[in-house]
Amino acid sequence: MTAEGGAPPFEMTGGRVRRDGREVLSGVDLRVAAGDLLAVMGPNGAGKSTLVKAMLGLVPLSGGGTAIYGAAPSRFRDWKRIGYVPQRLPMGGGVPSTVREVVASGRVARQSRWRPASAADRAAVDRALEAVGLTDLARESAHLLSGGQQQRVLIARALAGEPDAFVMDEPTAGVDAANQAALAATLRELAAAGRTVVLVAHELGPLEPLITRTVVLEHGRIVREQARADAAAPLAPLTALGRTA
Ligand SMILES: Nc1ncnc2c1ncn2[C@@H]1O[C@H](COP(=O)(O)OP(=O)(O)OP(=O)(O)O)[C@@H](O)[C@H]1O
């Protein structure tokens, strides 16, 4: 924990993951600096989700190491600094939650156990619902929404926590063009505020102009990497990266 001061949000060195006896991440070195908007791209099964889960300590490494703000995931305690958007809404428990309840759960790491939700908590939840265009559906059961709407609930949950760094696993999957544009606007604000975003994507679509770095994974390895100094730089190389074999 002592190294957290100037440490980058995420740093993986020689990261390896085995699943079912097969190596699905094969020695990944990846340093994500504060303020990066990093896209992790690559074909199906390349290991993109595994990489971001391993960065968060959700999947154990079989080799190498990884750190969150300088601490190994098992020792990292400051989870309010991290917002994770998984690929799907977890459906455990059998208790239906409203959209607002799911989004408000993003504040949990910020609340003390005995303190009820404050005005600041409620305002953050309102802002997050507004950002993803779900204000009108706040009282609906989250599990009854479409896949794209559920994806936006998960994005709002992460936004509500007001973290320093976001990890989003396919945040645009199933999300229509208008809502992808809304997500781009939200990411632009996060970037302007110096937040860090790592996102997994097959297609960048309207997010493309915001991305400052792209890594392409194939067979568990980073095979290409592209960075640009500022978001106004030409986009063509980034587009080509995700598509060339
Ligand atoms: N829980 C699991 N148990 C066993 N193997 C797994 C598990 N999760 C993923 N894998 C395997 O690991 C490899 C990488 O999967 P991963 O989901 O990380 O790829 P991906 O690049 O995110 O793919 P997609 O774009 O389809 O989401 C695949 O071969 C997959 O079958």
Side-chain angles (χ1 to χ4, degrees):
M1 295 292 283
T2 50
E4 277 190 43
F10 302 104
E11 186 161 29
M12 182 177 284
T13 311
R16 293 179 181 277
V17 171
R18 293 185 75 80
R19 288 193 130 164
D20 292 344
R22 201 164 56 85
E23 195 163 74
V24 295
L25 215 60
S26 300
V28 168
D29 295 320
L30 183 62
R31 185 180 207 270
V32 183
D36 274 353
L37 260 73
L38 171 76
V40 178
M41 303 188 76
N44 287 333
K48 304 181 295 296
S49 293
T50 302
L51 169 59
V52 296
K53 285 180 186 167
M55 276 175 17
L56 293 167
L58 299 173
V59 169
L61 292 178
S62 57
T66 199
I68 308 171
Y69 288 108
S74 60
R75 295 181 161 270
F76 184 70
R77 295 287 172 267
D78 209 1
W79 288 104
K80 67 177 181 299
R81 299 190 74 183
I82 307 296
Y84 174 48
V85 180
Q87 253 180 13
R88 278 173 214 87
L89 192 62
M91 283 303 164
V95 181
S97 303
T98 66
V99 168
R100 190 178 178 92
E101 284 165 349
V102 175
V103 174
S105 71
R107 295 293 293 178
V108 164
R110 294 200 161 267
Q111 292 165 342
S112 72
R113 188 177 300 187
W114 310 114
R115 186 173 59 80
S118 67
D121 291 327
R122 286 191 293 273
V125 173
D126 287 342
R127 278 196 303 276
L129 286 165
E130 181 76 33
V132 300
L134 284 177
T135 304
D136 292 343
L137 295 180
R139 289 164 181 270
E140 301 293 323
S141 290
H143 70 283
L144 296 180
L145 302 184
S146 72
Q149 288 169 331
Q150 289 188 1
Q151 199 60 30
R152 286 150 57 201
V153 173
L154 294 171
I155 292 166
R157 182 178 67 173
L159 291 171
E162 300 180 304
D164 294 323
F166 291 81
V167 176
M168 303 182 172
D169 198 345
E170 304 218 26
T172 55
V175 173
D176 62 32
N179 283 301
Q180 288 195 23
L183 176 61
T186 300
L187 289 187
R188 188 171 281 115
E189 284 176 25
L190 295 175
R195 303 288 186 260
T196 306
V197 181
V198 177
L199 59 88
V200 172
H202 280 109
E203 299 279 336
L204 292 174
L207 308 186
E208 186 173 70
L210 306 166
I211 299 299
T212 58
R213 254 177 98 196
T214 302
V215 296
V216 179
L217 272 187
E218 280 176 21
H219 304 297
R221 297 175 195 277
I222 293 179
V223 294
R224 279 184 290 281
E225 187 161 359
Q226 177 95 23
R228 57 185 170 195
D230 71 86
L235 300 174
L238 285 182
T239 314
L241 269 175
R243 292 161 200 264
T244 48

